[in-house]
Amino acid sequence: MFTFPLLLTIYAGFTHAFEADHLLAVTNIVSRRNHIWLSVKDGIFWGLGHSSTILLIGVLMIMFKVGISEHSFHYFEATVGLMLIALAVYRLQKFFRGKKLIIHTHGHLHSHSHSHSADEHKHLHVHFAPKQNFKHTQLHVHTHDHSHKLAYGVGLVHGLAGSGALVVLVMAQIKSPFDGLVYLVIFSAGCIGGMLVAAGLFSVPFSKKLIQAPVLQTLLIVATSVLCLVYGGKVIYDNIMLL
């Protein structure tokens, strides 16, 4: 029957979810959330996307004997690096655009000319929206996106990273194609579980209690995005420039 221990396979998938590039991507995704449940769902969808790619490559290589060169997987890894950079830029752009929207919504800043004796000069004035309209505006500004397409898409691309090495390892260890695919399914289940836990843990700093501190929120989002940018650049350099 199976030539691999079930618990060890699940553990391998679980720990795979905690690799640095995975955590950076997911942290940037869950930083949009202030509810842990939405972050956990992002983690699940990331894991589903990641597993979809691994299983697709596994089926092509194990069942249909499709050969994929080692150089191709370097390009796959570089694509993941590019995605990490794009994700960081997207997160920063969304965050700072949201801040501008809140500023423009809460008040309107402009200048008036005033005459004092013979001199004329300008004063800055801030006009705030009436109270009765403010509640309506607040509700509109803080509407959250409950879609998990971004998490699934990022996971889908992320599955390219290391998927070839994993499938080749399975093919070397397990002779039966069916057993090999079962291994990948169990590995993927462990990966989904690991990412679920990781997304929940890494969403805690962005929860409602801490998100009320604007400086801390800005620092966390900028720091994780910059790390994502740097790591993405390193992945591209390691897999393209050093070939």
Side-chain angles (χ1 to χ4, degrees):
M1 191 57 180
F2 298 153
T3 58
F4 52 88
L6 179 64
L7 291 178
L8 186 59
T9 304
I10 293 175
Y11 175 77
F14 188 90
T15 54
H16 178 70
F18 285 84
E19 292 180 3
D21 55 333
H22 298 165
L23 294 180
L24 283 172
V26 170
T27 301
N28 270 267
I29 294 171
V30 301
S31 66
R32 306 177 303 151
R33 310 296 192 186
N34 61 4
H35 293 285
I36 290 180
W37 171 235
L38 289 176
S39 300
V40 167
K41 286 177 73 176
D42 276 333
I44 293 171
F45 275 87
W46 184 97
L48 288 171
H50 186 276
S51 302
S52 298
T53 305
I54 286 180
L55 289 173
L56 175 62
I57 292 176
V59 168
L60 290 175
M61 293 184 71
I62 296 174
M63 300 297 293
F64 295 100
K65 309 298 181 185
V66 174
I68 303 177
S69 68
E70 184 181 344
H71 281 289
S72 297
F73 287 109
H74 282 293
Y75 290 117
F76 288 169
E77 294 271 2
T79 302
V80 172
L82 185 62
M83 181 209 64
L84 288 173
I85 292 173
L87 182 61
V89 172
Y90 169 79
R91 182 67 192 98
L92 288 171
Q93 183 259 340
K94 289 281 286 183
F95 175 67
F96 287 110
R97 189 174 70 179
K99 277 193 168 295
K100 287 181 182 178
L101 177 62
I102 291 173
I103 290 170
H104 287 303
T105 304
H106 285 189
H108 177 57
L109 178 68
H110 64 110
S111 62
H112 288 298
S113 296
H114 290 272
S115 294
H116 297 283
S117 301
D119 298 323
E120 182 175 300
H121 56 275
K122 292 185 177 181
H123 293 292
L124 287 175
H125 290 266
V126 180
H127 293 272
F128 290 95
K131 273 190 175 180
Q132 59 269 28
N133 295 329
F134 184 71
K135 286 184 180 177
H136 173 73
T137 307
Q138 280 284 86
L139 182 63
H140 175 71
V141 170
H142 291 285
T143 299
H144 296 288
D145 177 19
H146 287 245
S147 170
H148 302 280
K149 292 178 183 177
L150 175 63
Y152 183 82
V154 170
L156 206 63
V157 176
H158 231 135
L160 295 171
S163 56
L166 173 65
V167 175
V168 170
L169 179 65
V170 172
M171 291 169 67
Q173 300 278 332
I174 303 168
K175 303 304 180 185
S176 165
F178 177 76
D179 284 2
L181 289 177
V182 171
Y183 176 94
L184 293 178
V185 169
I186 296 172
F187 178 91
S188 297
C191 188
I192 293 170
M195 193 46 63
L196 179 157
V197 173
L201 289 175
F202 280 83
S203 69
V204 172
F206 304 98
S207 63
K208 282 186 174 180
K209 288 183 180 179
L210 286 179
I211 212 167
Q212 292 173 0
V215 175
L216 181 58
Q217 180 198 39
T218 302
L219 285 174
L220 283 170
I221 290 174
V222 170
T224 54
S225 297
V226 169
L227 282 172
C228 209
L229 280 169
V230 172
Y231 195 88
K234 180 182 181 301
V235 171
I236 293 174
Y237 180 80
D238 288 347
N239 287 279
I240 297 296
M241 302 301 181
L242 297 182
L243 281 179

